[in-house]
Structures are given as C-alpha cells and as structure tokens.
Amino acid sequence: MLDDAWLRFQTRLAIRRGRVVTVVPHTGYGTTSWVRVLARVVRSDPRDSGSAGASRRPLPEGMRGWRNFTSAPVAHAAVQVTVAGEVHEVEADRGGVVDARIPAALTPGWHTVTLQSGESEAVEAPVLVVADDADFGLVSDIDDTVMVTALPRPFLAAWNTFVLNEHARTPTPGMAVLYERIVRSAPTAPVLYLSTGAWNVAPTLSRFLSRNLYPAGPKLLTDWGPTTDRWFRSGKEHKRSSLERLAQEFPGIKWLLVGDDGQHDVAIYSEFAQRHPENVRAIAIRQLSAGEAVLAGGRSSGGQPTPDVPWVYAPDGAGMSAQLEELGIIKPLLR
C-alpha cells in the first residue's frame, strides 16, 4: 500500500540521517482507577530529543512546524509506561501513536507518568485525574473557536503544520477569560480540547493554549494521513467517537460543548445531545463573521432540536459568558 511504502521510506531516510527513537508526550486523563496515556513515538533529530550529548530541552519545545510533521513514526513501538511506580508495557499503533488505558489508583488532580521506548530518553507526560464526584466538564473545539484561523479549509492543515507557529496564531477574543471563569465556577471540571487536528501539531497547539492563558487540559487529536480505505481520516467521525467515549468513561458528567458554526460542530453536538441528553449541560457556538464563514466553507446547516439542552450563540467569549451566566453555568462577576 502507498502509506506502507511511505512509512518504510521515512524510516530508512531517518535512520540514514542518524535520527533517534524519541517519545513525544501528550497530556492524558483518567479517573481514580485508570488513566488514558497519550504519546507519539518518532525518529527525531538528537538535538531535539536531548540525546547524543545535545543540550537537554523538552521535545515539545524543540520540534516545530514541518519537523513535527515529517518525523518518521515508529510503527508498533514497544513503550514502557511508569504510573505510580508500576511499569506497564504498551504498544504504539502503526502511526507511532500511543493511546493506552492503564489501571492505576490515583488521587484527583494532576499527576505525571513516565514513558520510554527502547534506548530513548525517558520523558514525562502530565495526566489529569478527574474526581469521582465531578458532574460538569468542558469540551472545546480549537480552530475558529479558541483561535482565529482565517484560512480556507483546504489549506488550513498544511499551513498550521508546515508554516505557522504559535506566535502567529490569533486567540479568539474573550474565550480564554470565559474558560477561566468556567474553571473558577467549577474547580473539579475537566477541560478537554477536541480537534480534527493531527497529533503532529499537538506541541504547537499546547504552546498556543498556554501562551494565551487557556486552562490546561488534554487534547484529543487524530492521526494524520491515509487509512486502509481512504486517503484522509474523517474529522467528523473522530469528534463523534471521542464524544461517545467520554460519555462512556464519565457517565456522571454533563459537558458544556463549545464549537463554532463553520464545518460540522453544530450537527455533531446536536446528534450527541440527542443520544446523550443526560451528558450535555449546554452547547455554546461561536458565530463566525461573514468572512470567516466563507473561509470555513460556509456555515453549518444546523442540527436537530434538543429540548432538554440549551444553546447559546455569540461571536466571542464575552457574549457567551453573559448567556452562560444567565444559565447558571458560571458564577456572576463581582462588580
């Protein structure tokens, strides 16, 4: 197959250039009885990984743009994950992505797990453990929701991956303040970022969110490239399946789903709310400007009614904040 041939070519070229096996850690999440560990195993320049005597620096800060994208994945890599002092053996998929659910007894809050593959440097990944009594959480889209992309959809992935870094991205006005108000109103609420973006750009997205003061939280991204039956992976299916998984993993949590009225967020959130009204507190949709809507390929055609789930619409975080305050989802500001 074409994708297998490409992987073999990438691997041969990476080995010839002296690239070393490196684990790129991503933020995971879990409960007090298990954690979902996320990472990616690639062959990278030793200067990025801190190997071979190079100055030590975290890989997410070292690899940028096209280098994240072109690093050869290590298919089916064996990875040792240390959680609470216990070592677990897991295996990456054919794209080098580690997505493993591991049993562990942990207290609510932030923890650190350690990952290593073969002779690679050991790296640490943060994991958010959600409290057993948490009953509210936030799931947010990224492109055109927390950041303004202003690019035609056909070019968005390539631009974000090969050209742009986090300094050039523009945060959506008022959204970081809104999310901060949400977590202050519900301190145990997990915050997750659900995007059709590839794991390759996770380091850049993490730096953007941190630099613009968005709450820390796991990012649920997707692998890039062809599958066995199609050239490009389905972003809509990724979002649908991720939401279904969250409903199963956290049956007691009602989610605030935040997205935009370009692409498919409205329809996807509507479908999820119809299937799981007990897991949706409200749906908040950022209204794109006329120009943004054109670049996004038009506005969403809308979803089906959700009688038990309120919707709010606004062009920015301030407008959403006022409506969510009226719904009692966030606490009023002291004046």
Side-chain angles (χ1 to χ4, degrees), residues 243-327:
L243 289 171
E244 288 291 335
R245 178 167 181 166
L246 290 176
Q248 295 172 9
E249 293 174 333
F250 302 101
I253 290 183
K254 284 181 172 286
W255 299 97
L256 169 63
L257 307 177
V258 184
D260 62 80
D261 62 2
Q263 282 196 308
H264 311 288
D265 287 346
V266 172
I268 292 170
Y269 289 170
S270 172
E271 292 169 7
F272 180 73
Q274 291 176 71
R275 291 193 302 271
H276 301 282
E278 72 282 1
N279 292 123
V280 183
R281 176 64 179 86
I283 298 172
I285 299 297
R286 178 182 175 244
Q287 297 168 307
L288 304 183
S289 68
E292 290 171 336
V294 170
L295 293 172
R299 297 189 188 278
S300 172
S301 58
Q304 298 298 316
T306 54
D308 299 323
V309 176
W311 291 66
V312 301
Y313 297 86
D316 53 31
M320 288 186 187
S321 183
Q323 297 178 64
L324 293 173
E325 186 177 314
E326 291 179 0
L327 291 173

Side-chain angles (χ1 to χ4, degrees), residues 48 100 119 183 189 211 294 296 335:
D48 289 330
E119 299 299 317
V183 298
R211 188 176 300 277
V294 170
R335 305 184 187 281

Side-chain angles (χ1 to χ4, degrees), residues 131-156:
D132 293 335
D133 60 353
D135 59 4
F136 175 75
L138 168 64
V139 172
S140 173
D141 179 42
I142 295 179
D143 284 315
D144 287 327
T145 299
V146 302
M147 68 168 66
V148 180
T149 54
L151 281 169
R153 288 293 173 188
F155 303 112
L156 179 60

Side-chain angles (χ1 to χ4, degrees), residues 138 145-146 171-185 193 209 212-215 256 316-322 324-325 330-331 333:
L138 168 64
T145 299
V146 302
T172 303
M175 294 300 287
V177 175
L178 168 62
Y179 288 8
E180 179 63 23
R181 290 190 64 188
I182 290 171
V183 298
R184 288 194 179 202
S185 297
Y193 298 93
L209 294 170
N212 290 284
L213 305 179
Y214 284 97
L256 169 63
D316 53 31
M320 288 186 187
S321 183
L324 293 173
E325 186 177 314
I330 57 179
K331 296 178 180 178
L333 287 172

